[in-house]
Amino acid sequence: MRRIPMAVFAALLSMCLPLSLARAADSAPASVPADPQYAQAVAAIKAHQYDKAIPMLQAYARRSPPDADVHNLLGYAYRKTGKLEPAFDHYKQALALDPKHRAAHEYIGEAYLMANNLPKAEEHLKILDGLCTLSCEEYRDLKKAVADYKARSR
């Protein structure tokens, strides 16, 4: 049996994946509208209004089932306001709910850099390296943040 060179396989995969995702989206049932408070919180984060987003996300988290994305966003908002302790708490909750949550690994790594804990940031970079098949934005972003941190520390 002949083996397909990796580059050819990657090219074929990149052509087929968008088609399969489009088919899945077409056959998916209509989604339930997003919670208005959650949507407002996401909009506040996009507008860099992190202090405004935090109470909305907390309220949503209290009334909804455990959700790694909500805890990741709470960690992100807290980190952006400089409150690292609650940021770490929420990132850890996100990762407890979904150990493969790539954004949570990236963001907790960035929080560890803010706390001057390079080894822990590199630990999450290594985890992302294992989670990302070829490469992913979260891995590239944390890798750049680690490199920048090391350059500033010289």
Side-chain angles (χ1 to χ4, degrees), residues 15 38 56 59 79 85 123 131 136:
M15 289 186 299
Y38 181 82
M56 289 187 279
R79 178 172 59 91
E85 189 173 325
E123 180 181 311
L131 292 175
C136 64

Side-chain angles (χ1 to χ4, degrees), residues 87-109:
F88 282 120
D89 289 343
H90 285 286
Y91 289 137
K92 289 175 183 177
Q93 287 180 59
L95 291 170
L97 292 166
D98 180 1
K100 295 180 179 183
H101 198 290
R102 295 186 325 210
H105 282 291
E106 175 194 347
Y107 295 155
I108 197 171

Side-chain angles (χ1 to χ4, degrees), residues 32-79:
V32 178
D35 181 272
Q37 192 171 37
Y38 181 82
Q40 288 175 343
V42 170
I45 286 174
K46 288 180 180 179
H48 306 279
Q49 298 171 336
Y50 307 111
D51 284 324
K52 182 179 176 183
I54 291 169
M56 289 187 279
L57 288 168
Q58 289 172 328
Y60 178 78
R62 282 192 296 272
R63 70 175 186 278
S64 67
D67 184 340
D69 291 331
V70 172
H71 286 289
N72 182 55
L73 286 176
L74 273 162
Y76 181 84
Y78 276 117
R79 178 172 59 91

Side-chain angles (χ1 to χ4, degrees), residues 19-32:
L19 295 173
S20 64
L21 291 176
R23 277 194 299 273
D26 289 341
S27 64
S31 62
V32 178

Side-chain angles (χ1 to χ4, degrees), residues 130-146:
L131 292 175
C132 300
T133 310
L134 299 173
S135 180
C136 64
E137 182 179 359
E138 296 86 358
Y139 173 80
R140 290 188 303 271
D141 289 350
L142 183 54
K143 185 175 181 176
K144 182 181 181 329
V146 166

